[in-house]
């Protein structure tokens, strides 16, 4: 760990020169660290020594962002690689892992959906999701797709063309459902098709999302002809229907290009003062087969009011800002520039695709700072040359203009949504007399049935939008709250106490969430730490309820000496009334005010999240309630039985031999379970 007294390298020329001499002139990755040993920036280069030295040349005209970073650098680390392509892959992984502040970071706000194929499962599933999970490496995600409606329509049509599993769980235990009888499914639930045969069907579906529809048609047409020649007319008719369905998918998607035999991607962006909206068009055989969308953050140093010129979407000011910085050693343009953002998007996107999905040509709106390295890396992966070009005229330039125009439309839509949320936050700040707009709002609610299975929820809205990664579930631990005895006041007081009990510890540097008391559902994951920095302190706390619920929360905050630091209000359901601490009457508001509507969205989301968790717990308890009465059947074996038979009804119908097939259930215990259900 570097000492806190260590000078920045720019002010310690002797140590700087010594460190630069240690860095070899080979391909690799370099890491800039500050006095707290935090990683400020991660970069790559063909020649590490030349690149790192360029940051510290007095003659180098650095951008405001990089100049600010260089002033904080206390230490430089490097990792040498054999090739530039290895450096690119290593840098992408390190940036994704450490999220350095001065790197271009893509924003994953769950705005655009993915299509997932779970190749890790015996019978793969296909579904749409807005969360890319770091689960099995075998699972494949396609996207993110900008046009959600088109994606859902495509998947719906695919399920009509190919016989795929239509239901997540079987409808019947001993027979397939109607989908099998009408040819929409191959009887996966009853094992009527082998995993190998089913995977062949899924591979055909994957080819569609890989942009290989024409290749799939070229495979199916000879199969249809062969089936007809063999007088297998039923099979030939089925393949004919598949071909017609695939042809309808690409109808009207033709893009006019001089060479429609070349597969190509085209990428462009539009930006405002906070975000860059990137669009990537995938064109195969002259047809637009996919339109992907990405978001990148513009760091605060380059936003309006920080000394840098404001960004203008699609205008001359944007081009001047992105392209005004002179190139440094190795051809990299410094600063948050369009090329750096586009390069970051392309690197992350192509890391997650199969080699057959990499196009032969990539058209970019601006020149990439490390385009040669990226092209070499893609060429190695594809096994043939991949060209990256910046078209300036004729048809390819018109294609880039079309992509940029679509990015501008998407950015304008985001700006309208942002303006609406900004207006709502400003109105809420005026209603509640807050010193600043409440950028982070936390909402809390309790859910139970007469005290049984009592749980609480916390939802978080940042800048007026749900931030699902910060949602939390709490199980109420108060022993007095049980079936037949409920106390929402005590439950809320407990949850608020657990949420903020660490705020004053360590100089108010941490807020503890009590994760040992939490039970996380499947959709809430990627928890990075048990503690959060002080920046996670909410600007406003909203309690679902009236004066009683608010008073209970105020009492616990006062006891913790936090009432002066945390602003808290409650929103009653019946009349949408807002109550403030110490006030007996609600605020005079209009239920249609933007600020009140924002509070209602927070309240409704907290209620939904709490109720869903309560239902899950209640359902699980009811499933196990009957099994608890069977001697020798512990919690682990109960889970295995339910996982195998799906429900108590199927379990009750099982024979002793079928029960004994479950791992951990021997013949003797299987007979006990059978005797319990058949006295």
């Amino acid at each position: 760990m570097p000492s806190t007294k260590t000078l920045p390298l720019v002010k310690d020329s002797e140590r700087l020169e010594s460190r630069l001499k240690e860095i070899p002139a080979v391909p690799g990755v370099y890491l800039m660290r500050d006095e707290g040993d935090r990683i400020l920036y991660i970069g790559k280069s063909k020649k590490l020594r030349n690149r790192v030295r360029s940051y510290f040349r007095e003659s180098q005209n650095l951008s405001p962002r990089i100049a600010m970073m260089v002033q904080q650098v206390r230490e430089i680390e490097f990792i040498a690689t054999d090739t530039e392509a290895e450096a690119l892959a290593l840098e992408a992984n390190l940036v994704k892992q450490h999220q350095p502040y001065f790197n271009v970071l893509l924003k994953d706000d769950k705005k655009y959906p993915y299509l997932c194929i779970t190749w890790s499962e015996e019978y793969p599933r296909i579904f749409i999701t807005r969360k890319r999970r770091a689960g099995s490496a075998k699972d494949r995600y396609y996207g993110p797709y900008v046009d959600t409606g088109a994606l859902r329509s495509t998947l719906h049509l695919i399920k009509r063309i190919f016989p795929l599993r239509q239901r997540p769980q079987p409808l019947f235990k001993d027979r397939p459902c109607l989908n099998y009888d009408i040819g929409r499914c191959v009887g996966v639930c009853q094992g009527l098709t082998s995993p190998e045969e089913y995977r062949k069907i899924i591979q055909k579906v994957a080819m569609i999302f890989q942009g290989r529809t024409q290749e799939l048609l070229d495979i199916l047409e000879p199969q249809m002809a062969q089936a007809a020649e063999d007088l297998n007319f039923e099979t030939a008719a089925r393949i004919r229907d598949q071909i017609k369905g695939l042809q309808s998918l690409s109808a009207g998607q033709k893009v006019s290009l001089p060479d429609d035999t070349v597969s190509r991607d085209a990428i462009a962006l539009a930006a405002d003062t906070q975000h860059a909206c990137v669009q990537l068009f995938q064109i195969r055989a002259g047809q637009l087969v996919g339109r992907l969308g990405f978001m990148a953050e513009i760091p605060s140093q380059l936003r309006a009011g920080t000394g840098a010129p404001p960004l203008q979407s699609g205008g001359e000011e944007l081009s001047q800002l992105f392209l005004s910085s002179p190139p440094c050693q190795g051809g990299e343009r410094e600063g948050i520039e369009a090329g750096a953002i586009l390069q970051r998007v392309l690197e992350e996107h192509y890391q997650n695709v199969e080699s057959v999905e990499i196009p032969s040509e990539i058209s970019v709106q601006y020149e990439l700072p490390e385009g040669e390295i990226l092209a070499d890396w893609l060429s190695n992966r594809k096994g043939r040359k991949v060209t990256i070009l910046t078209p300036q005229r004729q048809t390819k330039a018109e294609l880039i203009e079309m992509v940029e125009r679509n990015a501008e439309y998407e950015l304008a839509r985001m700006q309208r949504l942002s303006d609406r949320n900004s207006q709502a936050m400003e109105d809420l700040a005026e209603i509640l007399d807050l010193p600043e707009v409440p950028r982070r709002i936390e909402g809390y609610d309790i859910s139970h049935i007469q005290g049984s299975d009592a749980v609480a929820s916390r939802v978080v809205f940042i800048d007026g939008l749900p931030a699902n990664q910060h949602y939390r579930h709490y199980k109420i631990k108060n022993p007095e709250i049980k079936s037949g005895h409920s106390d929402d006041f005590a439950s809320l007081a407990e949850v608020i106490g657990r949420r903020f009990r660490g705020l004053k510890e360590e100089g108010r540097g941490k807020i503890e969430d009590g994760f040992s008391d939490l039970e996380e559902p499947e959709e809430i994951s990627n928890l990075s730490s048990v503690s959060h920095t002080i920046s996670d302190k909410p600007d406003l706390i909203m309690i679902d309820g009236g004066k009683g619920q608010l008073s209970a929360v105020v009492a616990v905050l006062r006891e913790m000496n936090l009432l002066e630091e945390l602003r808290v209000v409650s929103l009653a359901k019946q009349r949408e009334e807002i109550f403030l601490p110490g006030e007996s009457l609600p605020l005079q508001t209009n239920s249609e005010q933007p600020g009140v509507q924002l509070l209602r969205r927070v309240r409704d989301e907290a209620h939904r999240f709490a109720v869903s968790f309560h239902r899950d717990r209640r359902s699980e308890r009811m499933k196990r309630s009957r099994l608890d009465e069977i001697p020798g059947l512990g919690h682990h074996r109960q889970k295995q039985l339910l996982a195998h038979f799906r429900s108590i009804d199927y379990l009750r119908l099982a024979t002793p031999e079928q029960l004994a097939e479950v791992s951990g259930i021997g013949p003797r215990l299987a007979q006990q379970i059978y005797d319990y259900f058949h006295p």
Side-chain angles (χ1 to χ4, degrees):
M1 295 285 288
S3 170
T4 55
K5 297 181 180 179
T6 302
L7 292 174
L9 288 176
V10 292
K11 297 181 180 180
D12 191 343
S13 58
E14 183 177 343
R15 193 165 66 91
L16 172 61
E17 190 59 32
S18 174
R19 187 65 180 131
L20 291 176
K21 289 180 179 179
E22 296 173 354
I23 300 175
V26 298
V29 174
Y30 56 93
L31 300 87
M32 306 283 198
R33 293 183 179 270
D34 66 2
E35 62 179 348
D37 203 36
R38 292 181 294 266
I39 298 177
L40 297 171
Y41 183 78
I42 298 175
K44 61 181 174 298
S45 178
K46 294 181 179 179
K47 294 184 178 180
L48 283 172
R49 180 184 299 167
N50 296 356
R51 170 58 51 78
V52 175
R53 186 180 293 275
S54 69
Y55 287 97
F56 301 95
R57 287 197 182 97
E58 294 183 1
S59 60
Q60 185 65 49
N61 184 17
L62 300 176
S63 70
R65 178 185 70 103
I66 296 300
M68 179 183 294
M69 180 199 73
V70 170
Q71 294 297 322
Q72 303 177 46
V73 175
R74 257 70 170 182
E75 186 57 77
I76 303 171
E77 297 179 3
F78 67 89
I79 303 174
T81 60
D82 293 332
T83 64
E84 295 92 337
E86 289 180 4
L88 184 149
L90 177 60
E91 183 216 28
N93 290 332
L94 291 175
V95 169
K96 189 180 299 184
Q97 177 184 351
H98 296 288
Q99 298 280 297
Y101 181 76
F102 288 94
N103 280 86
V104 174
L105 300 178
L106 300 187
K107 182 181 180 183
D108 182 18
D109 61 354
K110 317 300 184 294
K111 180 178 178 61
Y112 303 123
Y114 295 87
L115 182 123
C116 178
I117 300 179
T118 57
W119 290 108
S120 59
E121 299 179 5
E122 185 179 27
Y123 291 94
R125 292 176 296 130
I126 303 177
F127 58 90
I128 296 173
T129 177
R130 292 184 183 269
K131 191 161 191 175
R132 188 172 193 145
R133 306 181 190 278
S136 173
K138 296 181 180 179
D139 293 345
R140 178 71 176 88
Y141 289 84
Y142 299 92
Y145 293 98
V146 177
D147 194 338
T148 307
L151 175 61
R152 295 187 184 279
S153 176
T154 299
L155 183 58
H156 177 72
L157 183 57
I158 286 173
K159 287 186 175 182
R160 295 176 65 90
I161 297 173
F162 297 98
L164 302 175
R165 179 168 63 175
Q166 304 287 333
R167 303 177 59 88
Q169 300 293 342
L171 189 61
F172 307 105
K173 179 174 176 57
D174 55 352
R175 61 184 177 88
C177 63
L178 183 62
N179 287 311
Y180 175 79
D181 297 324
I182 63 177
R184 294 281 181 85
C185 178
V186 289
V188 171
C189 61
Q190 303 301 321
L192 299 180
T193 186
S194 67
E196 294 75 18
E197 290 299 321
Y198 190 71
R199 282 173 173 264
K200 290 179 181 179
I201 301 175
I202 298 296
Q203 285 169 355
K204 294 178 181 178
V205 175
M207 292 178 68
I208 298 173
F209 292 98
Q210 292 169 353
R212 302 163 62 196
T213 306
Q214 186 58 50
E215 184 179 338
L216 179 57
L217 289 172
D218 295 340
I219 294 174
L220 291 177
E221 286 173 353
Q223 292 180 356
M224 178 184 67
Q226 184 63 46
E229 185 178 336
D230 296 340
L231 305 182
N232 193 347
F233 299 117
E234 184 176 344
T235 301
R238 186 177 67 251
I239 298 175
R240 177 204 61 198
D241 294 341
Q242 291 177 349
I243 291 173
K244 287 183 177 180
L246 292 172
Q247 290 172 340
S248 68
L249 277 176
S250 56
Q253 294 287 333
K254 197 74 174 178
V255 178
S256 177
L257 290 172
D259 184 3
D260 60 6
T261 62
V262 177
S263 63
R264 57 169 55 84
D265 285 352
I267 186 170
L269 62 78
D272 61 10
T273 57
Q274 296 184 359
H275 303 102
C277 180
V278 184
Q279 297 246 316
L280 189 148
F281 280 30
Q282 299 171 308
I283 300 167
R284 305 293 183 265
Q287 293 180 340
L288 178 62
V289 299
R291 184 163 69 100
L292 312 184
F294 306 85
M295 295 297 301
E297 294 277 10
I298 302 297
S300 57
Q301 304 100 306
L302 292 184
R303 297 180 185 175
T306 58
L311 297 169
Q312 299 293 329
S313 172
E316 185 66 24
E317 293 85 349
L318 176 64
S319 301
Q320 290 301 319
L321 172 67
F322 283 165
L323 302 179
S324 59
S325 299
C328 68
Q329 187 73 24
E332 180 183 20
R333 294 188 176 90
E334 295 297 329
I336 291 295
E337 57 183 18
I341 294 176
L342 297 180
Q343 172 124 6
R344 178 80 179 92
V345 169
L346 292 174
E347 289 173 357
E348 182 160 317
H349 170 65
Y350 291 124
Q351 261 201 328
N352 298 305
V353 305
E354 298 177 24
S355 59
V356 294
E357 300 175 56
I358 299 174
S360 302
E361 184 179 290
I362 303 171
S363 297
V364 297
Q365 180 186 20
Y366 296 103
E367 184 179 348
L368 305 183
E370 297 287 357
E372 292 182 11
I373 295 180
L374 179 60
D376 291 343
W377 176 62
L378 293 175
S379 299
N380 289 336
R381 284 201 60 199
K382 187 175 179 63
R384 53 186 297 187
K385 184 175 178 57
V386 175
T387 304
I388 300 177
L389 52 89
T390 309
Q392 302 296 329
R393 54 188 176 182
Q394 296 182 341
T395 308
K396 294 180 182 178
E398 293 174 359
L399 174 62
I400 288 294
E401 290 176 3
M402 180 180 70
V403 180
E404 181 183 3
R405 192 160 58 249
N406 280 270
E408 290 172 0
Y409 293 149
E410 184 67 14
L411 181 66
R413 190 167 69 88
M414 285 188 53
Q415 288 172 331
R416 288 193 296 271
L417 180 61
S418 178
D419 291 342
R420 188 190 74 176
N421 291 330
S422 297
Q423 181 185 0
M425 290 189 294
E426 291 172 1
D427 184 54
L428 185 58
E430 184 177 346
I431 292 172
L432 303 178
D433 194 23
L434 301 176
E436 297 178 347
V437 296
R439 293 195 63 247
R440 180 184 175 105
I441 304 174
E442 294 187 1
Y444 294 85
D445 191 18
I446 304 295
S447 182
H448 59 83
I449 294 180
Q450 294 295 316
S452 67
D453 304 303
V455 297
S457 68
R458 181 189 89 192
V459 300
V460 179
F461 277 52
I462 296 178
D463 291 335
L465 295 173
N468 304 61
Q469 68 271 26
H470 298 300
Y471 284 19
R472 297 292 181 266
H473 282 144
Y474 296 83
K475 291 187 291 187
I476 301 303
K477 302 170 67 175
N478 190 333
E480 296 182 0
I481 299 174
K482 53 190 176 182
S483 181
H485 184 271
S486 62
D487 191 339
D488 287 0
F489 303 159
S491 298
L492 281 168
E494 175 190 329
V495 170
I496 295 298
R498 283 159 56 184
R499 167 68 172 104
F500 298 107
R501 67 189 175 197
L503 182 56
K504 290 219 173 249
E505 297 176 5
E506 299 183 21
R508 295 178 184 175
K510 292 183 179 180
I511 302 178
E512 295 182 2
D513 265 320
F515 283 100
S516 60
D517 306 326
L518 301 186
E519 199 169 290
E520 296 293 343
E522 185 180 353
E523 67 266 28
I524 305 299
S525 60
N526 299 329
L527 304 180
S528 58
S529 174
V530 170
S531 300
H532 303 278
T533 62
I534 197 68
S535 62
D536 285 342
K537 185 173 73 172
D539 301 308
L540 179 66
I541 301 171
M542 192 236 46
I543 304 299
D544 185 2
K547 291 186 291 185
Q549 285 87 346
L550 180 61
S551 298
V553 171
V554 167
V556 72
L557 290 177
R558 182 180 291 115
E559 182 182 340
M560 300 170 69
N561 295 321
L562 294 175
L563 190 57
E564 298 300 322
E565 295 186 35
L566 300 173
R567 296 298 301 268
V568 57
V569 300
S570 69
L571 181 63
K573 287 186 177 71
Q574 190 170 6
R575 298 180 181 176
E576 309 296 352
E577 295 174 328
I578 301 175
F579 290 91
L580 298 180
E583 300 290 338
S584 58
L585 296 176
L587 291 176
Q588 296 294 324
T589 58
N590 183 343
S591 61
E592 299 305 316
Q593 283 183 253
V596 178
Q597 289 182 337
L598 174 58
L599 272 188
R600 285 163 58 185
R601 290 200 297 272
V602 177
R603 189 269 316 278
D604 293 343
E605 181 69 354
H607 179 72
R608 179 199 67 80
F609 200 50
V611 168
S612 65
F613 186 40
H614 166 74
R615 287 173 177 166
D616 290 342
R617 291 201 65 207
R618 188 182 71 215
S619 176
E620 188 67 21
R621 176 179 57 81
M622 293 177 68
K623 281 182 179 179
R624 291 203 295 259
S625 60
R626 297 191 65 186
L627 298 181
D628 286 336
E629 301 174 6
I630 303 176
L633 194 61
H635 176 67
H636 179 67
R637 286 174 174 173
Q638 290 178 17
K639 289 179 63 176
Q640 289 179 311
L641 282 169
L642 290 172
H644 183 82
F645 290 101
R646 307 292 186 181
S647 73
I648 291 289
D649 292 334
Y650 289 162
L651 178 60
R652 187 175 61 246
L653 296 173
T655 64
E657 292 75 17
Q658 292 172 327
L659 291 168
E661 294 176 359
V662 180
S663 175
I665 306 296
R668 182 176 178 181
L669 182 55
Q671 189 63 47
Q672 287 181 342
I673 298 171
Y674 181 83
D675 292 341
Y676 172 80
F677 287 109
H678 303 83

